[in-house]
Amino acid sequence: VYAGKHASDSSQEFANYVCGERNVTWWEESMDEPTLIHFHANDKKYRLLTHFYSMLYFTSPAIDSYVKRFVRDFMHYRDQIFCAAGKIVKALQVEAEQRGASIDDNGGGGYSAMHIRRGDLQFDRVKISAQEWWNNTQEVWKPNELI
């Protein structure tokens, strides 16, 4: 529901299909007033383990494309952050080369990184030690590569 318009039966049917057993929340005119909309993410019931815009369904394909293009084009880190990250990557590669790792023709390589989640997963069996991480992944690392 937006600007007094109701979603078509086919849009409602599709939203219900996509959401499965979750509740569908339709956008209403009253939602236009706040300057901030907060998505609860600290409760297992509301966990967002994906990009927020992939959780939205727009009944108009034009609006759907507009919002996703807007996110793609304007919601990103500032240039200063990318520059700082580039300096860190370069420092890692310099150290990796000093230890015998190779950098490819495109300027990549020398190190690998993992995003290891700690404390936000509800299953204790997935909280493993650094040694277990190494034991489980050592075959994927290249010789002399920094991790």
Side-chain angles (χ1 to χ4, degrees):
V1 179
Y2 183 75
K5 298 178 184 175
H6 293 281
S8 68
D9 289 343
S10 62
S11 290
Q12 289 180 21
E13 193 175 301
F14 183 73
N16 287 325
Y17 168 75
V18 169
C19 290
E21 294 185 20
R22 294 172 292 170
N23 291 332
V24 176
T25 301
W26 295 97
W27 192 272
E28 297 174 353
E29 192 172 354
S30 63
M31 296 172 144
D32 285 344
E33 296 171 13
T35 55
L36 173 72
I37 297 175
H38 177 76
F39 292 90
H40 295 278
N42 61 339
D43 182 331
K44 282 189 242 180
K45 182 178 175 183
Y46 300 108
R47 292 177 63 118
L48 293 178
L49 297 176
T50 186
H51 298 286
F52 77 91
Y53 53 87
S54 69
M55 303 289 287
L56 302 175
Y57 169 67
F58 296 93
T59 56
S60 164
I63 292 173
D64 185 67
S65 294
Y66 175 82
V67 168
K68 290 176 181 167
R69 279 194 312 272
F70 182 87
V71 169
R72 180 198 65 202
D73 295 342
F74 298 107
M75 295 183 75
H76 49 77
Y77 292 113
R78 294 176 179 222
D79 289 344
Q80 297 92 324
I81 293 173
F82 278 108
C83 289
K87 291 175 184 177
I88 293 167
V89 167
K90 185 63 177 171
L92 285 168
Q93 289 180 321
V94 166
E95 183 176 342
E97 281 185 306
Q98 292 169 350
R99 294 173 180 238
S102 59
I103 309 301
D104 66 26
D105 293 337
N106 295 318
Y111 79 97
S112 283
M114 291 189 284
H115 177 161
I116 299 173
R117 301 181 72 119
R118 292 280 187 212
D120 61 344
L121 298 172
Q122 64 266 30
F123 303 109
D124 287 333
R125 69 180 177 273
V126 300
K127 297 176 184 174
I128 62 175
S129 68
Q131 185 62 51
E132 287 179 274
W133 276 107
W134 172 253
N135 294 341
N136 292 336
T137 60
Q138 62 184 328
E139 70 278 355
V140 301
W141 312 123
K142 294 180 181 175
N144 302 317
E145 175 178 54
L146 291 180
I147 300 171

